[in-house]
Amino acid sequence: MNSISVFLPCRAGSERVPQKNIKSFAGITNGLLEIKLQQLLKISQINEIVLSTNDDLIIEYVKKLSNSKISLDIRPEYLCTSSTTTDELIQYVPSIMKETKHIMWTHVTSPMCNEYDYIQAIDKYFESLAEGYDSLMSVTLLRKFLFYKNGRSVNYDRSIELWPRTQTLSPIYEANSAFFINSIDNYNLYKDRIGKSPYFYELDQIKSFDIDWEEDFKIAEIIYKQTLSE
């Protein structure tokens, strides 16, 4: 069986939603982190979850779980500031995951992306390697009227048709950050969480919903509760 390791970043100090990663969510005491760990721990292809954090509440919670699949990485403070770039964190990952061959980077802030989505994506990643792709990332397909600030259209030619049917628009893909899957070799080679030929794994709007702002948190609670009742 193809196995994979998970990188799960959860720094302290969220400015938009304080304690976003671990505060109560939809009646779940330890919130988004508890949901995500429960999802990931159900996946047999995952052999390790590296939870990278500087949050004392998260550290205390994970230590109480005492699960051998979860490894705590106490991330250096210089990589936990609001000015820390994603590029800096990407370059840090290989230094703490030297024993793995494949890494799935995911976030607790995508609670509607569940274990079934991860299982399918992991399977597709290994299939796609044989098809000429070198990595995989989750995307959302956009078929909308997109414009540059200067008024020029992005994904269609207004000289041909001013307002075409949305079904005929050239597809644009948004990296929704639900997950990225890549080899450790590519992390070291390209300093990136995707390679040069990523497979675009489509998720719908609900599955890819990402919590960034306080209103996102409230909306996500409603959606999550609804998915549980279905």
Side-chain angles (χ1 to χ4, degrees), residues 85-94 105 187 191-193:
T85 66
T86 302
D87 286 3
E88 289 175 308
L89 191 55
I90 288 170
Q91 293 179 42
Y92 172 70
V93 170
W105 176 319
Y187 267 84
K191 313 300 181 189
D192 200 351
R193 55 186 174 181

Side-chain angles (χ1 to χ4, degrees), residues 4-149:
I4 200 163
S5 297
V6 171
F7 177 72
L8 188 64
C10 289
R11 77 173 180 89
S14 173
E15 297 172 357
R16 296 166 181 164
V17 187
Q19 289 299 328
K20 172 175 64 177
N21 296 323
I22 198 169
K23 78 173 188 173
S24 178
F25 173 88
I28 297 168
T29 304
N30 294 289
L32 297 172
L33 177 60
E34 183 175 341
I35 291 170
K36 191 55 60 183
L37 288 177
Q38 286 178 352
Q39 292 170 348
L40 296 172
L41 288 169
K42 292 175 183 175
I43 302 172
S44 59
Q45 296 105 312
I46 293 175
N47 55 23
E48 180 186 30
I49 302 165
V50 176
L51 199 160
S52 180
T53 187
N54 66 326
D55 189 315
D56 290 336
L57 288 176
I58 290 176
I59 293 169
E60 181 182 0
Y61 169 67
V62 173
K63 284 184 176 179
K64 286 180 180 177
L65 292 179
S66 189
N67 190 297
S68 60
K69 261 195 173 183
I70 305 173
S71 300
L72 264 174
D73 168 58
I74 311 303
R75 198 192 310 170
E77 288 299 325
Y78 77 92
L79 287 174
C80 297
T81 70
S82 57
S83 61
T84 300
T85 66
T86 302
D87 286 3
E88 289 175 308
L89 191 55
I90 288 170
Q91 293 179 42
Y92 172 70
V93 170
S95 71
I96 61 170
M97 304 185 75
K98 296 177 181 178
E99 302 303 317
T100 188
K101 291 184 178 179
H102 304 279
I103 299 169
M104 180 170 73
W105 176 319
T106 189
H107 298 98
V108 304
T109 49
S110 299
M112 269 65 77
C113 180
N114 60 34
E115 61 269 24
Y116 305 107
D117 302 302
Y118 289 125
I119 290 169
Q120 291 176 8
I122 291 168
D123 287 343
K124 185 59 190 177
Y125 166 71
F126 286 108
E127 288 175 14
S128 70
L129 294 180
E131 297 168 355
Y133 299 95
D134 65 356
S135 51
L136 178 149
M137 68 174 173
S138 62
V139 298
T140 305
L141 173 63
L142 301 180
R143 288 194 181 274
K144 299 180 180 181
F145 299 106
L146 303 175
F147 289 82
Y148 295 105
K149 193 174 182 179

